[in-house]
Amino acid sequence: MTVNADSLNQFFAQVDKDQNIYVERLREVVAIPSVSSDVSLRPQVFAMGEWLKKELTRLNVEYVIRDPGTHEMDGHTLQLPPIILGYYGRDPAKKTVLVYGHYDVQPALKEDGWATEPFELIENEKGELVGRGSTDDKGPILGWLNAIEAHQKLGLELPVNLCMCFEGMEENGSEGLDDVINAEAKGWFKDVDAVCISDNYWLGDSKPCITYGLRGISYYKIAIKGPGRDLHSGVFGGTVHEPMTDLAYIFSKLVTPKGEILIPGIMDDVAPLTDAEEASYPPLDFDLSTLHKAIDAENTIHDSHIDALKGRWRYPSLSLHGIEGAFSAPGAKTVIPAKVIGKFSIRSVPNMVPEKIDQCVVKYINEEFAKLGSKNVVEVECLHAGKPWVASFEHPNYVAAANAVERVFKVKPDLTREGGSIPVTLTFQDALQKNVLLLPMGRSSDGAHSINEKLDRSNYIEGTKLLGAYLWEVSGQKF
Ligand code: BES
Ligand code: ZN
């Protein structure tokens, strides 16, 4: 089947015409603070699920709900938000494409340094739509729905059957999702021919890309317990083993300031760099200034942009995230915290395996702690783990995405990997045995997870065209 250029051009024109409606729709969903990691905001994650269900009903999308049950978080038993499985079109003569997105977002407080209220979408003079979730991942979810709506307005059928999976726990370890996917591999997902996920970013700010790899993640907490209560450092300093001192020592043994991981065995399974891979870096549209712009600083470890990309994509990294129980308020309180919980994570790459990472981490921390001769008690726990993912980009699914990019943006996309993690990507690939592709909507400078997260209006609108064009292009591929 060749792609009907007339239909596509009509679709593009409709998207241009309706762009203000799409922006208002994004405003509506950004206003729902669906933060999955905040106990008090869990009802808002459900509210966002309700919003989506209503929208799917309005668009005549058939859907079912899978309830993943409950989980424990911060001492509470909480209901997990619904996993929403949709279907638009069930024509056996058409291909079926599965799209995934997450409707939960990262936490955001104005006090963190946002220039505006994080849950009120504003459009600034640069055409940036600023608000939590704009790029990660509410804009891309709306992109798929906007594309359906535009086709309906034109009286055009979608060229494929569109199968959907939307979850509300991605930012918090996707609890319960793998079980649902495995259970539905021969059920709701049985006719799926290819998978597309829009939940990542361009490599820079001007050139689109398609993405074939993600790092995995193993997230840990180290709890160190000492005295039975917080103590006065004037009275007890010099007399007790201090949990925070122990933790600072352990933290310093995990990673060097240059990013080298110090845990023995961690690097053993890292796949060697191939010649083909080495050759794939220089043509990419990327330089250090792109990286500096994305971080608003110039404190990058590497002097070469290629080494920086390797450090981000194809080698593991270890980041220290925070300390629960530590004194963190302004002022000079002279406390000795009784118990502290340090958090860190390791981004993993092929062929590292979570079980082996766990073994190395737990053994090493216990050994290092033993060397301290501290009478405090340490406990190491892995909070969640997801494996790295790499797909074969020769597949027609990738050809379709590249063609769609060329149609909308008139350039050939870069082929990229990512340093972040979307564990469900590998679950889909393994459970459905189908090709999975990442097709980003936003830019590298969008500030996902950071303050002032944004999605440029042009990325949102051209991105909606891109997702729709991709569906047309997949329908034209033979596989
Ligand atoms: N959209 C990101 C994934 C991502 C991050 C893609 C960076 C490309 C670059 C996603 O929402 C996310 O943040 N995932 C978490 C997963 C974790 C909690 C299991 C992540 O990577 O920290
Ligand atoms: Zn995301």
Side-chain angles (χ1 to χ4, degrees):
M1 192 167 131
T2 52
V3 176
N4 185 332
D6 259 7
S7 304
L8 254 181
N9 288 333
Q10 279 182 48
F11 164 65
F12 292 164
Q14 187 69 41
V15 172
D16 281 330
K17 194 164 135 207
D18 286 345
Q19 55 171 292
N20 289 333
I21 300 178
Y22 302 157
V23 171
E24 286 316 304
R25 196 167 284 151
L26 186 60
R27 191 185 308 286
E28 228 183 284
V29 297
V30 164
I32 306 174
S34 51
V35 179
S36 51
S37 61
D38 183 329
V39 174
S40 70
L41 289 175
R42 183 58 58 88
Q44 297 293 335
V45 188
F46 278 81
M48 185 59 213
E50 287 304 316
W51 187 95
L52 268 178
K53 288 192 228 170
K54 221 171 83 205
E55 187 66 1
L56 294 178
T57 304
R58 183 181 75 83
L59 292 170
N60 285 322
V61 175
E62 170 198 348
Y63 71 82
V64 294
I65 297 303
R66 293 291 176 258
D67 174 5
T70 59
H71 75 138
E72 297 296 317
M73 192 173 93
D74 302 339
H76 299 260
T77 303
L78 295 178
Q79 200 67 38
L80 288 160
I83 294 168
I84 304 174
L85 306 180
Y87 239 108
Y88 186 68
R90 295 242 193 202
D91 182 346
K94 292 179 182 171
K95 286 203 176 64
T96 298
V97 174
L98 167 64
V99 301
Y100 158 91
H102 63 91
Y103 61 83
D104 62 323
V105 297
Q106 284 282 319
L109 297 171
K110 178 101 197 306
E111 305 85 275
D112 295 341
W114 283 70
T116 55
E117 286 298 331
F119 296 103
E120 284 172 24
L121 190 80
I122 62 114
E123 181 165 16
N124 65 21
E125 62 296 340
K126 292 186 269 182
E128 294 169 343
L129 303 165
V130 183
R132 175 56 93 220
S134 52
T135 194
D136 186 13
D137 184 33
K138 289 176 171 175
I141 290 188
L142 292 197
W144 295 115
L145 303 180
N146 296 340
I148 295 179
E149 187 191 64
H151 280 79
Q152 285 179 351
K153 285 193 177 180
L154 290 163
L156 268 180
E157 270 190 36
L158 275 194
V160 297
N161 303 314
L162 195 61
C163 183
M164 293 158 232
C165 175
F166 299 132
E167 68 150 325
M169 278 298 283
E170 196 271 349
E171 301 292 8
N172 203 356
S174 294
E175 238 169 296
L177 184 61
D178 279 4
D179 289 346
V180 170
I181 293 169
N182 287 318
E184 296 294 343
K186 300 232 154 26
W188 195 262
F189 300 131
K190 76 175 183 344
D191 295 321
V192 169
D193 297 300
V195 185
C196 180
I197 298 177
S198 187
D199 185 21
N200 67 308
Y201 321 99
W202 293 354
L203 187 51
D205 279 351
S206 52
K207 192 169 172 205
C209 63
I210 54 184
T211 305
Y212 66 95
L214 288 161
R215 291 195 292 187
I217 183 168
S218 294
Y219 199 109
Y220 295 93
K221 71 177 207 184
I222 312 174
I224 302 184
K225 217 165 56 188
R229 65 176 90 159
D230 286 1
L231 301 174
H232 190 304
S233 67
V235 183
F236 299 103
T239 67
V240 297
H241 291 288
E242 299 192 15
M244 187 86 113
T245 311
D246 292 357
L247 182 62
Y249 176 87
I250 296 291
F251 264 3
S252 77
K253 294 284 165 191
L254 297 176
V255 64
T256 70
K258 287 208 165 147
E260 274 166 80
I261 302 177
L262 298 171
I263 305 170
I266 284 290
M267 303 300 289
D268 290 0
D269 297 328
V270 175
L273 188 75
T274 63
D275 291 345
E277 212 185 324
E278 187 75 82
S280 71
Y281 286 96
L284 295 171
D285 182 30
F286 188 74
D287 55 27
L288 278 184
S289 68
T290 311
L291 189 53
H292 293 158
K293 180 166 178 234
I295 58 180
D296 265 339
E298 298 193 358
N299 68 333
T300 39
I301 295 177
H302 305 93
D303 295 326
S304 123
H305 66 288
I306 291 180
D307 289 340
L309 278 185
K310 288 177 187 165
R312 179 200 284 194
W313 291 354
R314 66 105 49 230
Y315 290 113
S317 60
L318 188 154
S319 301
L320 305 177
H321 302 300
I323 303 177
E324 246 181 80
F327 167 58
S328 65
K333 188 175 169 185
T334 53
V335 67
I336 299 173
K339 178 181 176 184
V340 286
I341 300 176
K343 316 258 180 86
F344 72 96
S345 72
I346 297 175
R347 296 282 170 174
S348 56
V349 299
N351 302 308
M352 296 166 74
V353 257
E355 293 73 18
K356 167 95 182 284
I357 301 173
D358 274 3
Q359 277 170 15
C360 296
V361 165
V362 174
K363 180 167 180 279
Y364 177 67
I365 291 178
N366 284 325
E367 280 171 6
E368 287 301 310
F369 192 80
K371 288 185 196 162
L372 297 180
S374 167
K375 290 181 187 153
N376 293 329
V377 180
V378 68
E379 228 176 279
V380 188
E381 191 191 334
C382 177
L383 294 179
H384 58 78
K387 293 181 195 159
W389 163 78
V390 189
S392 79
F393 49 76
E394 284 87 20
H395 193 278
N397 197 23
Y398 280 76
V399 177
N403 290 348
V405 169
E406 280 205 71
R407 263 186 208 276
V408 177
F409 295 94
K410 319 285 180 236
V411 289
K412 281 194 196 311
D414 276 333
L415 253 182
T416 64
R417 284 165 68 162
E418 283 279 17
S421 314
I422 313 171
V424 70
T425 310
L426 184 67
T427 312
F428 280 131
Q429 185 169 293
D430 287 349
L432 312 188
Q433 294 288 305
K434 299 293 170 190
N435 182 267
V436 186
L437 155 87
L438 259 53
L439 187 56
M441 177 180 264
R443 305 183 186 183
S444 133
S445 62
D446 282 357
H449 294 209
S450 185
I451 57 168
N452 306 323
E453 175 181 345
K454 57 93 173 161
L455 175 64
D456 292 75
R457 177 187 275 256
S458 67
N459 281 61
Y460 182 37
I461 302 309
E462 301 307 303
T464 295
K465 292 181 193 169
L466 173 67
L467 299 183
Y470 158 76
L471 299 178
W472 281 89
E473 291 288 350
V474 188
S475 77
Q477 292 288 322
K478 282 204 181 58
F479 63 96

